Amino acid sequence: TSSPDLQRWICQHLQVVADAKAIPALIPMLQDPKVCGAACEVLEVLPGEEVNRILRKALLNLPPSCQPPVIHLLGIRRDTNAVSILSSLIQRQPHSVVSAAAIQALGRIGTRKAATTLETLLQSQKLTPEQVHAALACAERLSQGTTSDVHHARRLCHRLLAHPNLPIRD
């Protein structure tokens, strides 16, 4: 096997020329904390639902230290099929780096299903900045959709504003 430095260098160049044929070589790199981020940067530029499916499948088998970059990537790719997995990660590992990444990804995905998960989180006694940011990002995305989406965005904002412990910076 090659060194992490060489693997990162290869990934930098793959970002420009990679296609779906690179996926089998990139997936094992997701297991290594030293190169996971670089592999995610390549996977970010590859189009298609197949990449999302592979990322979802790989996510559950990754060491916790490698999960946040993949979760972040699922959010960037706005993978609507990842909402259930992200929600389960939040429930299994609350108050963790993995949970914070999943919350942020839900905000980026910005669907009604993501909003429902975020609304559930808003019922907690103490809100985190990640929860507030994700709720606002999700509401913004929903506000650009259908009338029903806009209704969900308003509901999410109302729940956020009504929270007794809304963290506000001076």
Side-chain angles (χ1 to χ4, degrees):
T1 63
S2 54
S3 74
D5 288 337
L6 179 58
Q7 289 177 336
R8 285 190 296 271
W9 182 84
I10 291 168
C11 285
Q12 285 178 332
H13 293 280
L14 279 175
Q15 282 181 300
V16 179
V17 297
D19 60 16
K21 294 175 192 165
I23 294 172
L26 293 167
I27 296 306
M29 296 171 81
L30 296 176
Q31 297 279 343
D32 183 349
K34 295 175 185 168
V35 294
C36 179
C40 283
E41 289 173 5
V42 178
L43 291 165
E44 181 179 340
V45 299
L46 298 179
E49 175 57 32
E50 180 66 13
V51 175
N52 294 347
R53 186 189 65 72
I54 290 168
L55 288 169
R56 288 191 307 269
K57 183 178 177 184
L59 177 60
L60 299 176
N61 298 314
L62 294 177
S65 62
C66 295
Q67 289 178 335
V70 174
I71 292 168
H72 178 76
L73 180 54
L74 289 167
I76 287 173
R77 294 177 66 86
R78 294 197 61 224
D79 182 6
T80 57
N81 292 318
V83 171
S84 296
I85 295 168
L86 298 173
S87 299
S88 69
L89 287 172
I90 294 167
Q91 291 172 357
R92 284 190 293 201
Q93 302 178 49
H95 314 294
S96 68
V97 175
V98 171
S99 177
I103 290 167
Q104 292 170 351
L106 288 173
R108 281 188 194 95
I109 292 169
T111 62
R112 285 187 242 169
K113 190 173 177 183
T116 300
T117 298
L118 292 170
E119 283 181 48
T120 301
L121 293 173
L122 294 177
Q123 295 173 8
S124 68
Q125 291 300 311
K126 184 175 186 218
L127 292 181
T128 65
E130 290 87 8
Q131 290 169 328
V132 174
H133 183 267
L136 292 172
C138 186
E140 180 180 9
R141 178 108 27 220
L142 284 170
S143 70
Q144 299 167 11
T146 66
T147 302
S148 180
D149 290 340
V150 171
H151 172 74
H152 276 70
R154 286 185 181 140
R155 188 172 78 196
L156 188 57
C157 287
H158 286 295
R159 294 239 171 120
L160 181 61
L161 291 172
H163 197 282
N165 297 313
L166 181 64
I168 299 176
R169 293 186 180 140
D170 293 326

